[in-house]
């Protein structure tokens, strides 16, 4: 069997990494890996034509971290918007393993992209691709809204079905994934090196970060402060294993990893000792491309069905979207849910499915209306204008009412929450006991949370509002040409300045000093 990649693939990967290389210094079980200095170590491992090097390589257990994301969402049961926290388990590969996975992801993604172009489904898949000519969610969402308009022009009205796969990465079937992987690379079975990578992602092991810190009585806050001070001096620990005393089980990497296993801190992807047949770690460099590879047959089947029956299908990772005639909603919804459940072992929940109808309101304007779910009949009832509820279509961080395009309300709320938290932190630091002066430095706040920054949420949102803009690569891209988005953002500087003033006054009163601004 041939290797997955060519010499040019390796050269292209090196260029991609080195173009924006930054040394990764997040906590891991191995020391920091400077790719620019030691890339030949990686090249030697993956370029062995006999596959012996990579096949004998032991991948380090992942580090599991629970990432908490606050979200401002509509609570169906209470009928109000409220703040909720989504907790996602993210598994991070070791520093060196990250580049192994990164390289295989890079070349497998190229094979995947060639394959979907060959079978003609490239228009439907929008996430985790490098062949999209610099497009981002601004263009993807805008094109989708334009497709809604085209469907309305054709039929006078239309419906949009938004479906969400529950726990996608945790339910990816290993056998099905391997079959799809083979199909994409055009091989009857996975070559030895790719099979070894596949096994490391399906029979993976991990250590819970919090459990590790608790077990060895590591004070995380104290540790982080000390690490920052030491890094400035060119010192500091380079591995989590450095935090384990050498006297317990020896000083070597293997000694300390064996200690973690003895102490039962290493967990295998299993149920009561039986290896799971589904699930891959979310967070590895391979996760994104494998999420596309896994559904390649599903995507092909739905795209071809859409061409025959006159509906449009789009997928962004685990978010599926169908634009169709209003009478087709329940049939297509049931078809998709049954197919993905029976053939791909994935789950789409009715309660997480949303249906928005685009039709004329009492004034004759095309507007978006929410369809209510009938729990008894398990169908989405058609909209009755007498008691219909306006509901914007939400997609990829944007909203569409049939007339206007907006930044998603929850995204804007999250931005203002982060803005306020940063202001409080900056002002608190200025008035802290350890502060040398009471000067409030606003530059960092403005850089992160105003239109003065180069790459932040505000600049992204303003780009979306324009007719066209230039991205970081200096390429001209079309925006949404939306005055509504500009109006949403118009007060952000006033709000930011007021927040700084208010918080400063509160802190100054507490400390009994004058406000000094800079």
């Amino acid at each position: 069997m041939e290797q997955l990649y060519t010499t040019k693939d390796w050269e292209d990967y090196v260029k991609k990494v080195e173009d924006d290389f930054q040394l990764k210094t997040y906590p891991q079980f191995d020391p920091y890996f400077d790719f620019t200095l030691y890339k030949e170590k990686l090249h030697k491992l993956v370029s062995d034509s006999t596959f012996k090097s990579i096949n004998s390589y032991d991948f380090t257990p992942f580090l599991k971290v629970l990432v908490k994301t606050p979200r401002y969402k509509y609570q169906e049961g209470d009928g109000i918007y409220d703040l909720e926290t989504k907790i996602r388990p993210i598994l991070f590969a070791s520093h060196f393993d990250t580049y192994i996975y990164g390289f295989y992801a890079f070349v497998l993604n190229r094979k995947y992209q060639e394959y979907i172009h060959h079978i003609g489904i490239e228009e439907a898949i929008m996430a985790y691709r490098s062949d999209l000519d610099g497009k981002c969610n601004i263009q993807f969402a805008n094109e989708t809204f334009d497709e809604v308009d085209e469907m309305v022009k054709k039929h006078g009205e239309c419906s949009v079905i938004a479906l969400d796969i529950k726990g996608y990465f945790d339910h990816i079937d290993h056998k099905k994934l391997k079959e799809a992987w083979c199909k994409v690379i055009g091989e009857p079975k996975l070559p030895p090196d790719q099979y070894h990578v596949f096994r490391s992602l399906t029979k993976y092991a991990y250590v819970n970060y919090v459990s590790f810190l608790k077990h060895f009585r590591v004070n995380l806050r104290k540790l982080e402060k000390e690490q920052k001070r030491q890094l400035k001096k060119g010192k500091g620990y380079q591995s989590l294993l450095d935090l384990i005393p050498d006297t317990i089980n020896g000083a070597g990497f293997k000694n300390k990893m064996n200690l973690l296993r003895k102490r039962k801190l290493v967990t295998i992807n299993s149920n009561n000792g039986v290896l799971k047949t589904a699930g891959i770690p979310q967070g590895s460099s391979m996760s994104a491309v494998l999420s596309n590879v896994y559904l390649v047959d599903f995507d092909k089947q739905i795209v071809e069905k859409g061409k025959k029956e006159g509906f449009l299908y789009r997928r962004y990772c685990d978010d599926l979207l169908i634009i169709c005639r209003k009478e087709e909603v329940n049939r297509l919804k049931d078809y998709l849910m049954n197919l993905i459940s029976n053939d791909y072992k994935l789950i789409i929940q009715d309660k997480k499915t949303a249906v928005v109808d685009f039709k004329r309101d009492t004034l004759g304007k095309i507007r978006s209306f929410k369809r209510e779910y009938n729990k008894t009949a398990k169908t989405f009832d058609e909209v009755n204008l007498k008691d219909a509820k306006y509901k914007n279509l939400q997609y990829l961080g944007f909203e569409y009412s049939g007339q206007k395009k907006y930044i998603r309300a929850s995204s804007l709320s999250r931005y203002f929450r982060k803005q306020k938290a940063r202001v409080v932190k900056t002002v608190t630091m200025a008035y802290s006991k350890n502060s040398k002066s009471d000067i409030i430095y606003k530059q960092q706040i403005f850089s992160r949370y105003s239109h003065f920054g180069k790459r932040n949420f505000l600049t992204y949102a303003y780009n979306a509002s324009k007719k066209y803009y230039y991205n970081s690569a200096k390429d001209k891209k079309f925006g949404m040409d939306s005055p509504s988005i500009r109006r949403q953002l118009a007060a952000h500087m006033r709000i930011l300045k007021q927040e700084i003033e208010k918080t400063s006054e509160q802190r100054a009163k507490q400390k009994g000093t004058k406000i000094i601004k800079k």
Side-chain angles (χ1 to χ4, degrees):
M1 288 186 179
E2 295 183 1
Q3 287 176 320
L4 176 65
Y5 59 91
T6 63
T7 300
K8 187 177 185 309
D9 287 325
W10 169 256
E11 293 171 349
D12 290 346
Y13 177 67
V14 169
K15 184 178 185 307
K16 175 180 177 289
V17 173
E18 293 187 340
D19 277 351
D20 55 355
F21 177 77
Q22 287 186 329
L23 185 67
K24 295 178 173 65
T25 59
Y26 53 78
Q28 257 302 343
F29 295 119
D30 62 340
Y32 309 150
F33 182 74
D34 192 329
F35 182 88
T36 60
L37 296 178
Y38 304 110
K39 56 180 173 282
E40 281 308 311
K41 179 182 177 181
L42 175 65
H43 189 212
K44 184 177 180 181
L45 182 71
V46 300
S47 62
D48 182 356
S49 59
T50 66
F51 304 120
K52 288 182 180 178
S53 296
I54 186 69
N55 288 351
S56 61
Y57 177 77
D58 288 327
F59 285 90
T60 303
F62 289 87
L63 188 66
K64 182 178 180 179
V65 178
L66 297 180
V67 177
K68 298 179 181 180
T69 307
R71 301 187 301 174
Y72 194 63
K73 291 191 67 179
Y74 184 75
Q75 308 298 320
E76 294 286 351
D78 300 326
I80 59 171
Y81 282 90
D82 200 3
L83 190 66
E84 66 174 34
T85 301
K86 181 177 181 180
I87 300 177
R88 293 182 301 147
I90 304 297
L91 282 77
F92 294 100
S94 71
H95 293 297
F96 186 67
D97 291 358
T98 292
Y99 288 106
I100 297 177
Y101 290 133
F103 175 62
Y104 275 93
F106 180 80
V107 288
L108 179 58
N109 195 42
R110 284 188 163 182
K111 291 287 186 182
Y112 169 77
Q113 290 169 172
E114 290 173 7
Y115 184 77
I116 61 173
H117 278 274
H118 176 69
I119 62 176
I121 65 169
E122 70 278 2
E123 290 295 322
I125 320 302
M126 294 175 286
Y128 311 134
R129 289 171 52 190
S130 60
D131 62 342
L132 294 167
D133 191 31
K135 287 184 179 181
C136 68
N137 286 2
I138 295 172
Q139 288 79 46
F140 297 146
N142 199 43
E143 288 170 2
T144 301
F145 299 155
D146 288 345
E147 286 164 348
V148 169
D149 289 343
E150 287 299 314
M151 191 71 79
V152 169
K153 287 178 183 177
K154 186 175 181 180
H155 300 288
E157 55 187 5
C158 79
S159 297
V160 180
I161 315 169
L163 308 101
D164 177 72
I165 300 172
K166 181 183 178 183
Y168 183 23
F169 292 94
D170 292 334
H171 293 92
I172 289 178
D173 182 75
H174 297 164
K175 182 180 178 182
K176 195 82 177 177
L177 174 62
K178 186 165 65 171
E179 291 172 355
W181 191 331
C182 290
K183 182 172 289 188
V184 165
I185 65 173
E187 295 283 356
K189 64 179 184 178
L190 290 181
D193 62 327
Q194 293 178 63
Y195 181 71
H196 188 59
V197 173
F198 167 80
R199 287 280 295 183
S200 74
L201 292 166
T202 53
K203 315 301 179 188
Y204 62 89
Y206 65 88
V207 175
N208 187 294
Y209 185 39
V210 173
S211 298
F212 174 87
L213 296 175
K214 285 182 177 179
H215 186 85
F216 293 104
R217 298 178 181 177
V218 177
N219 185 316
L220 184 58
R221 289 187 178 181
K222 184 178 179 181
L223 177 69
E224 288 177 343
K225 288 181 180 178
E226 179 62 25
Q227 178 71 345
K228 287 179 181 178
R229 285 195 290 266
Q230 292 297 328
L231 285 175
K232 288 179 180 179
K233 301 176 184 178
K235 300 178 181 179
Y237 72 91
Q238 289 237 330
S239 161
L240 287 174
L241 298 186
D242 293 342
L243 304 175
I244 303 175
D246 297 346
T247 54
I248 299 179
N249 201 55
F253 177 85
K254 288 187 176 179
N255 297 107
K256 293 189 176 182
M257 289 308 301
N258 285 336
L259 176 65
L260 296 184
R261 294 185 177 93
K262 287 178 185 177
R263 299 282 180 90
K264 296 183 178 180
L265 291 172
V266 179
T267 304
I268 308 297
N269 182 34
S270 63
N271 274 327
N272 299 319
V274 179
L275 288 173
K276 292 182 181 178
T277 58
I280 63 172
Q282 183 177 359
S284 82
S285 304
M286 289 288 289
S287 303
V289 64
L290 293 182
S291 73
N292 276 342
V293 167
Y294 185 69
L295 286 177
V296 70
D297 284 343
F298 175 84
D299 294 332
K300 181 174 183 289
Q301 187 170 344
I302 304 304
V303 168
E304 291 177 348
K305 184 179 179 66
K307 288 177 180 178
K308 291 178 182 177
E309 300 181 9
F311 67 84
L312 284 173
Y313 165 72
R314 296 291 181 263
R315 181 172 66 82
Y316 193 99
C317 189
D318 55 359
D319 290 327
L320 315 181
L321 200 80
I322 297 287
I323 305 172
C324 63
R325 298 190 302 277
K326 65 181 181 64
E327 60 270 18
E328 295 294 306
V329 165
N330 290 302
R331 181 182 69 84
L332 288 175
K333 183 264 296 183
D334 290 341
Y335 174 82
L336 287 169
M337 292 178 73
N338 290 332
L339 177 65
I340 209 162
S341 173
N342 295 333
D343 291 9
Y344 296 89
K345 313 291 174 44
L346 300 173
I347 301 169
I348 294 175
Q349 294 176 297
D350 271 326
K351 67 178 182 180
K352 288 290 185 74
T353 299
V355 178
V356 175
D357 282 356
F358 286 84
K359 60 192 301 178
R360 296 192 183 279
D361 62 12
T362 54
L363 298 176
K365 291 183 178 180
I366 295 295
R367 291 294 304 270
S368 54
F369 299 90
K370 177 185 177 182
R371 275 208 195 189
E372 298 293 343
Y373 181 65
N374 187 322
K375 294 181 180 179
T376 303
K378 294 186 178 180
T379 59
F380 284 89
D381 295 335
E382 286 196 30
V383 170
N384 183 339
L385 285 180
K386 290 182 180 179
D387 54 1
K389 296 178 182 177
Y390 289 125
K391 173 71 174 179
N392 292 343
L393 170 63
Q394 298 185 352
Y395 193 55
L396 301 181
F398 297 92
E399 298 185 6
Y400 185 47
S401 70
Q403 297 290 322
K404 299 176 182 179
K405 299 165 186 176
Y406 304 91
I407 289 289
R408 190 172 180 174
S410 59
S411 299
L412 208 55
S413 297
R414 183 163 58 248
Y415 153 74
F416 281 115
R417 284 199 307 275
K418 288 183 177 181
Q419 178 199 84
K420 182 176 181 178
R422 170 50 59 179
V423 168
V424 170
K425 183 176 181 180
T426 301
V427 174
T428 300
M429 289 172 63
Y431 290 103
S432 69
K433 293 180 180 179
N434 298 324
S435 177
K436 295 180 181 179
S437 72
D438 294 332
I439 296 175
I440 301 168
Y441 292 91
K442 298 179 183 177
Q443 186 176 358
Q444 187 184 63
I445 297 176
F446 288 160
S447 176
R448 291 187 182 183
Y449 297 102
S450 82
H451 61 286
F452 292 119
K454 290 184 178 180
R455 296 183 67 182
N456 60 29
F457 173 79
L458 256 297
T459 55
Y460 172 79
Y462 270 115
N463 284 342
S465 74
K466 297 174 183 177
K467 187 172 183 179
Y468 65 86
Y469 65 94
Y470 292 89
N471 63 14
S472 57
K474 307 301 181 184
D475 296 326
K476 183 178 179 179
K477 296 296 172 188
F478 284 96
M480 295 184 172
D481 193 16
S482 171
S484 300
I485 293 178
R486 289 192 286 275
R487 282 193 291 272
Q488 283 181 290
L489 307 174
H492 83 275
M493 275 303 292
R494 176 175 57 80
I495 294 171
L496 178 56
K497 289 178 179 178
Q498 286 177 348
E499 195 62 50
I500 294 173
E501 293 287 339
K502 183 181 72 173
T503 309
S504 298
E505 288 175 3
Q506 291 172 348
R507 293 293 174 182
K509 286 180 182 178
Q510 290 174 6
K511 193 171 181 181
T513 186
K514 294 181 180 180
I515 301 172
I516 304 174
K517 306 166 190 174
K518 187 172 180 179

